[in-house]
Amino acid sequence: MKKNKQVFNNVLELVGNTPLIKLNKITSSLKGNYFAKIESFNPGHSSKDRIALYIIEEAERKGILKPGDTIIETTSGNTGFSIAMVSVIKGYKCILAVSSKSSADKIDMLKTMGAQVYVCPAHVSADDPRSYYEVAKRLHRETEGSVYINQYFNELNIDAHYHTTGPEIWNQTEGKITHLVACSGTGGTISGIAKYLKEQNKDVQVIGVDAYGSVIKKYHETHEFDEKEIYPYRIEGLGKNLIPTATDFDIIDQFIKVTDEESAHTAREIAKTEGLFVGYTSGAAMQALKQLNEEGTFNENSNVVVVFPDHGSRYMSKIYSDSWMNEQGFFDSQHEQEETAQSI
Ligand code: PMP
C-alpha cells in the first residue's frame, strides 16, 4: 500500500493512502478549517477498494478463500466494482446482486470488470426473497466454493477503515482533527475511522450523515427500529432500511439528515468551487457541513475532516445531467436562475 514508488506490481498496490485536500471556497462562509478525504483517488475510484481488499485478504489468510472460488456480494455499485477489481487480479469469480436503484453506468462497469450481475428490485423489504440481500444469500447457498462478503453485517468492514483510513486521517492532520463528518451506509467507514480517532483523542466529535427515508438516525437516538422512517429516496449508498451491524452506533456522537435535492446541488457546487468532481454522497456530506455550521457545531478553531466517498463520473446520467435534475424537479426558481446564468 505504498504510493511513493514509480512502478507498481499491480493495481491493488495503489489502494489507500488517499489525499486530504483543504476546502477553500465552498467553506469560505463557514467557521473553521475544512479538509476532504478524497476517496476517488483509490484505483477503483471509491473508499470501497479498502474493504474489498481487506476482507478478501483476511479470508485468504484464514484459508476460507481458495484459488478459483467465487466471491458474492450485495452492493449499490461501488463495493461490487472494488470486489470485481480485486477478483480480476487475484483470480476469483465474482457474482453481484445489485439494487435496481443503481445507475446503468454502474451496472455496465461491473460487467466490464468481469462480474456476473443480478439486478434486484429496490423498493422491497430486506427479507423479501426478491431483495438483493436474499438473492445473494440464495446464490451463496447454491454456489459451491463461494464466499459471501456481506458488508452490512461484517465487522471486517469496520476493521478495514480502522487499520487504514483512520490512521491516514490522524497522520495527515497531525492529530489536530476536531470533527469527523462521514456518510453512513453500511457504517463501516465512519465506525472504523471513529474507533481509531477516538483511541487517539476521545474528544474528536464524530457526525454521521443519513438520508431522509432511512432509519439510521432515528435508531441512533431511540434504539428502536421505526418503519415509519422508511420511504424511497434517490441518493445511492447513503442511509438504510435496516440496521447494519457494521455500524458501531455507540462511537458516533450524532447523525444529521440531508435531502436528495440539496445534496445534488451541493455536489455540483463542489465541482465549480473546488475543482473536485465527486459523487452524490460527497454532496450529501458537504451539505451536512453547511447544516452543522448553521447549527453552531463549529468554531474558528475547528479542524473538520469530511469524507468524499467516490468519483463524479459514476453519476453522469443522474446529478450531473441537467435533464435528470429537471425530471426530479430539482431546478426550483433559485437554482434554475443560477444554472441559466452560468450557461449564457
Ligand atoms: N457513499 C457511497 C457512494 C457509497 O456507496 C457508500 C456505501 N454504501 C457510502 C457512501 C457509505 O459508506 P459506508 O458503507 O462505509 O457507510
Side-chain angles (χ1 to χ4, degrees), residues 60 64-71 87-95 143-147:
E60 287 174 340
I64 301 166
L65 259 181
K66 299 175 297 299
D69 277 352
T70 302
I71 303 173
S87 300
V88 166
I89 302 300
K90 289 178 173 284
Y92 299 115
K93 291 187 218 85
C94 175
I95 298 181
T143 311
E144 218 175 298
S146 66
V147 167

Side-chain angles (χ1 to χ4, degrees), residues 48 76 78 152 161 183-189 236-237 281 309-310 315:
K48 296 296 181 176
S76 67
N78 281 331
Y152 285 89
H161 291 284
C183 292
S184 204
T186 65
T189 305
E236 297 162 38
T281 53
D310 72 352
Y315 305 88

Side-chain angles (χ1 to χ4, degrees), residues 20 33 35-37 161 165-166 169-170 173 176-183 187-198 203-209 251-256 285 288-289 292 297-298 302-308:
L20 191 71
N33 308 300
F35 304 89
K37 184 74 170 155
H161 291 284
T165 334
I169 290 174
W170 180 255
T173 60
K176 295 190 182 106
I177 176 173
T178 57
H179 298 78
L180 170 75
V181 178
C183 292
T189 305
I190 189 165
S191 305
I193 301 173
K195 187 175 168 207
Y196 185 86
L197 294 179
K198 291 215 181 203
D203 295 332
V204 174
Q205 287 297 297
V206 175
I207 301 152
V209 184
I251 217 166
I252 299 163
D253 295 291
Q254 179 194 340
F255 278 92
I256 183 162
L289 292 189
L292 289 163
T297 305
F298 309 125
S302 297
N303 291 317
V304 183
V305 171
V306 60
V307 180
F308 286 172

Side-chain angles (χ1 to χ4, degrees), residues 90-130:
K90 289 178 173 284
Y92 299 115
K93 291 187 218 85
C94 175
I95 298 181
L96 303 168
V98 312
S99 158
S100 57
K101 203 162 81 165
S102 303
S103 66
D105 302 347
K106 280 187 176 179
I107 293 168
D108 287 343
M109 278 198 301
L110 300 177
K111 290 183 182 163
T112 302
M113 295 298 277
Q116 202 178 326
V117 183
Y118 289 75
V119 181
C120 310
H123 305 310
V124 296
S125 67
D127 56 3
D128 187 297
R130 294 165 299 166

